[in-house]
RNA sequence: UCCCGGGUAGCUCAGCUGGCAGAGCGGAUGGCUGUUAACCAUCUUGUCGGGGGUUCGAAUCCCUCCCCGGGAGCCA
């Protein structure tokens, strides 16, 4: 007989049927006449209540059924007379597949701190919290593809290993097959990377954007969804060294189209999670209080406030609040400024657009005022920046001049400049940090708790 | 990387004006009950983060290193 998932049982219409269920024991309550077991199989937030009557042969095996043990159970589904669950399985047979020594099994019936669970990363998906996080993460990942596929964006696979070191974002991890104990010497004490695997220095990608641009400039609308790597020494609840990024890129599009896409995207994802992860969100609402179905519902409809950088600076200048960092046109907005805009002034997501060109990347399109670029950031309450995007500079002369001003060497960028030489066209895109989205929607305080195997400075266990 | 706050039993934490290392939870055993993080009784648990120093004596004071958390910077 095939096993059935608890998720399907909860969905209903199986009362009276003989079923086989496999899973891990969460808790057990024993008495003389009857025992109760809460069983989880990861398919859903809910546990299945197993009822083991003392006359059942399974009753003698209860000793091995401690918290954490894996079992295969046969029984008849009944309507539950008790509170807290609709169904329960009246057990006729239990096969203990794997015991879990209660003296050493680290998960208790009680709740654990998120910090402790990080130390047992291989077992934490068995908890309510992490089961919920990873189910929401899965629904979000599926929704990302649905959103773009429904709009005829093509999923493109940009490289993980790259030779491009001028993508603008932080420090890079070097990828090498050289013997690190005997590095070939180059000039003035450096390493000779011409002897390395690729014949030149290679890195883990920090972004697929530049590659996505050339794919957009032939396929039209594309998106990437894959890992990115940053070697920055960032120790915060919002940064990972390895994270997943979504980067749509649209040909024949401007910054207005870009903002529209970003807003539609967030709306879509929130509505999908609200519809498909009701129990998970209800769980987060109850135990972490940083998210709610109601808030998700609002987020999936409410239009985002749009404000120019220049007006945002004016708004901050009017603020009664004392800021630690100065507010002045030309300086980048600090976390406290962004938070003031999202949490106090507009009380919701805000898109800030048209930033000073001197604080933004070389590829962003210069506006007619000659001092701002068509760049936009989507800011969310509490989490801060979740999306950074721009219209790309499609004019060859303007781009070349900008690269010179910012001292970016042209030689490795000829292919990028070619896109402006041959059939150039307006195009725009953005990058969204997937974990920050999961973090925002689940309300998890630390980004290390929304990815199965977090990588950060000094952290690469599991 | 910088600024704060921490590291004591398997977990959460108290003890910190230097003087016998504690509680709750968990776990084990027994009892009881269609139970819901069940309940009652008994029992169980230590490299006080590592190293060095001050002292008759250090979990407690000093130095140093490691790790964790919060905030900042960098960014998504």
């Amino acid at each position: 007989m095939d096993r059935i998932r608890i998720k399907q049982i909860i969905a209903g219409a199986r009362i009276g049927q003989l079923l086989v269920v496999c899973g891990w024991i969460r808790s057990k309550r024993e008495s003389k006449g009857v025992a109760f077991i809460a069983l989880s199989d990861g398919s859903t937030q809910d546990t299945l209540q197993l009822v083991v009557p003392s006359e059942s042969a399974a009753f003698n095996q209860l000793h091995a059924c401690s918290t954490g043990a894996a079992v295969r159970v046969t029984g008849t589904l009944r309507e539950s007379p008790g509170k807290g669950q609709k169904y329960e399985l009246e057990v006729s047979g239990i096969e203990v597949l794997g015991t879990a020594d209660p003296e050493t099994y680290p998960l208790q019936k009680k709740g654990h701190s998120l910090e402790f669970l990080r130390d047992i990363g291989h077992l934490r998906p068995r908890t309510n919290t992490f089961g919920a996080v990873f189910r929401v993460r899965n629904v979000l990942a599926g929704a990302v593809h649905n959103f773009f596929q429904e709009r005829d964006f093509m999923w493109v696979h940009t490289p993980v290993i790259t030779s491009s070191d001028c993508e603008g974002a932080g420090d890079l991890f070097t990828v090498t097959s050289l013997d690190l104990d005997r590095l070939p010497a180059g000039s003035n004490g450096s390493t000779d990377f011409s002897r390395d695997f690729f014949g030149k220095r290679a890195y883990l990608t920090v972004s697929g954007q530049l590659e996505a641009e050339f794919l957009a400039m032939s396929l039209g609308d594309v998106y990437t969804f894959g890992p990115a790597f940053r070697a920055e020494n960032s120790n915060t609840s919002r940064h990972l060294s390895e994270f997943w990024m979504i980067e749509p890129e649209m040909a024949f599009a401007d910054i207005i189209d870009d903002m529209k896409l970003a807003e539609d995207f967030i709306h879509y994802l929130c509505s999908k999670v609200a519809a498909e992860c009701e129990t998970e969100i209800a769980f987060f609402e109850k135990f972490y209080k940083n998210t709610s179905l109601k808030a998700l519902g609002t987020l999936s409809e409410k239009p985002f406030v749009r404000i120019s950088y220049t007006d945002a600076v004016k708004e901050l200048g009017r603020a009664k609040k004392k800021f630690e960092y100065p507010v002045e046109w030309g300086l980048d907005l600090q976390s406290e400024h962004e938070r003031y805009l999202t949490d106090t002034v507009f009380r919701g997501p805000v898109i800030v657009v048209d930033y000073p060109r001197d604080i933004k990347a070389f590829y962003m399109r210069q506006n007619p005022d000659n001092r701002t670029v068509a760049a936009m950031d989507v800011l969310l309450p509490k989490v801060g920046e979740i999306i950074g995007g721009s219209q790309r500079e499609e004019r060859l002369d303007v781009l070349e001049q900008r690269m010179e001003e910012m001292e970016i060497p042209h030689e490795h960028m000829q292919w990028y400049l070619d896109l402006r030489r041959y059939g150039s066209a307006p195009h725009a895109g953005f990058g969204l940090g997937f974990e920050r989205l999961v973090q925002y929607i689940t309300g998890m305080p630390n980004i290390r708790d929304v990815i199965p195997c977090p990588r950060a400075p000094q952290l690469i266990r599991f």
Side-chain angles (χ1 to χ4, degrees), chain A residues 216-243:
Chain A
M217 294 304 284
S218 47
L219 300 171
D221 296 327
V222 302
Y223 70 104
T224 72
F225 186 5
F229 307 86
R230 305 275 167 93
E232 280 289 311
N233 192 10
S234 295
N235 292 288
T236 81
S237 55
R238 303 183 307 283
H239 289 86
L240 291 167
S241 307
E242 176 182 301
F243 63 100

Side-chain angles (χ1 to χ4, degrees), chain A residues 29-94:
Chain A
R29 294 175 292 277
E30 260 180 295
S31 67
K32 231 181 233 166
V34 64
F36 299 95
I37 290 174
L39 189 75
S40 163
D41 70 355
S43 65
T44 174
Q45 190 72 20
D46 299 302
T47 55
L48 179 67
Q49 171 153 283
L50 308 178
V51 183
V52 188
S54 56
E55 54 270 23
S56 154
F59 200 78
N60 299 321
Q61 296 178 59
L62 286 176
H63 186 75
C65 295
S66 56
T67 301
V71 293
R72 177 194 300 269
V73 180
T74 310
T76 310
L77 195 70
R78 308 280 188 214
E79 209 162 334
S80 178
K83 282 181 201 151
Q85 64 281 316
K86 200 167 172 188
Y87 306 108
E88 61 187 26
L89 196 73
E90 191 183 305
V91 173
S92 49
I94 292 184

Side-chain angles (χ1 to χ4, degrees), chain A residues 15-305:
Chain A
I15 285 180
Q17 291 182 17
L18 188 68
L19 303 172
V20 173
V21 188
C22 298
W24 294 269
I25 290 171
R26 281 282 177 77
S27 69
K28 177 179 63 173
R29 294 175 292 277
E30 260 180 295
S31 67
K32 231 181 233 166
V34 64
F36 299 95
I37 290 174
L39 189 75
S40 163
D41 70 355
S43 65
T44 174
Q45 190 72 20
D46 299 302
T47 55
L48 179 67
Q49 171 153 283
L50 308 178
V51 183
V52 188
S54 56
E55 54 270 23
S56 154
F59 200 78
N60 299 321
Q61 296 178 59
L62 286 176
H63 186 75
C65 295
S66 56
T67 301
V71 293
R72 177 194 300 269
V73 180
T74 310
T76 310
L77 195 70
R78 308 280 188 214
E79 209 162 334
S80 178
K83 282 181 201 151
Q85 64 281 316
K86 200 167 172 188
Y87 306 108
E88 61 187 26
L89 196 73
E90 191 183 305
V91 173
S92 49
I94 292 184
E95 184 188 348
V96 179
L97 302 171
T99 57
D101 182 359
E103 293 278 350
T104 55
Y105 186 65
L107 292 173
Q108 308 173 355
K109 277 193 251 183
K110 271 210 124 181
H112 290 289
S113 69
L114 296 171
E115 291 82 1
F116 170 67
L117 292 173
R118 257 171 243 156
D119 287 337
I120 48 167
H122 57 309
L123 294 173
R124 67 179 185 167
R126 294 188 185 185
T127 63
N128 277 327
T129 296
F130 285 91
V133 165
F134 296 137
R135 279 188 298 274
V136 169
R137 188 180 165 111
N138 169 61
V139 166
L140 276 170
V144 165
H145 287 298
N146 287 340
F147 174 84
F148 287 119
Q149 295 295 330
E150 283 170 14
R151 283 162 184 71
D152 287 322
F153 280 60
M154 208 178 287
W155 184 22
V156 295
H157 303 95
T158 51
V160 168
I161 300 174
T162 176
S163 64
S164 170
D165 63 352
C166 50
E167 283 162 347
D171 296 333
L172 299 97
F173 289 101
T174 293
V175 176
T176 183
S177 62
L178 292 173
D179 181 349
L180 294 179
D181 296 321
R182 295 192 340 219
L183 290 171
S187 57
N188 53 43
S190 65
T191 301
D192 181 8
F193 281 100
S194 71
R195 308 264 300 276
D196 201 354
F197 188 88
F198 296 106
K200 65 197 312 196
R201 191 160 186 172
Y203 309 90
L204 289 177
T205 185
V206 296
S207 160
Q209 183 201 312
L210 301 189
E211 294 88 352
E213 278 191 54
F214 78 66
L215 290 157
M217 294 304 284
S218 47
L219 300 171
D221 296 327
V222 302
Y223 70 104
T224 72
F225 186 5
F229 307 86
R230 305 275 167 93
E232 280 289 311
N233 192 10
S234 295
N235 292 288
T236 81
S237 55
R238 303 183 307 283
H239 289 86
L240 291 167
S241 307
E242 176 182 301
F243 63 100
W244 285 62
M245 192 151 59
I246 297 145
E247 296 178 288
E249 193 71 32
M250 298 177 286
F252 314 112
D254 62 16
I255 190 72
I256 305 293
D257 301 315
D258 209 29
M259 289 191 282
K260 174 110 177 31
L261 184 74
E263 184 174 331
D264 289 349
F265 188 43
I266 304 273
H267 281 166
Y268 183 92
L269 295 171
C270 289
S271 68
K272 277 288 176 193
V273 170
E276 291 179 33
C277 303
E278 222 173 299
T279 49
E280 282 80 7
I281 298 301
F283 171 83
F284 290 124
E285 189 172 352
K286 188 174 169 193
F287 286 97
Y288 295 94
K289 307 198 190 324
N290 291 328
T291 187
S292 70
L293 276 168
K294 191 162 164 262
L296 277 185
T298 310
L299 253 179
S300 61
E301 287 170 2
K302 193 181 168 191
F304 292 4
V305 170

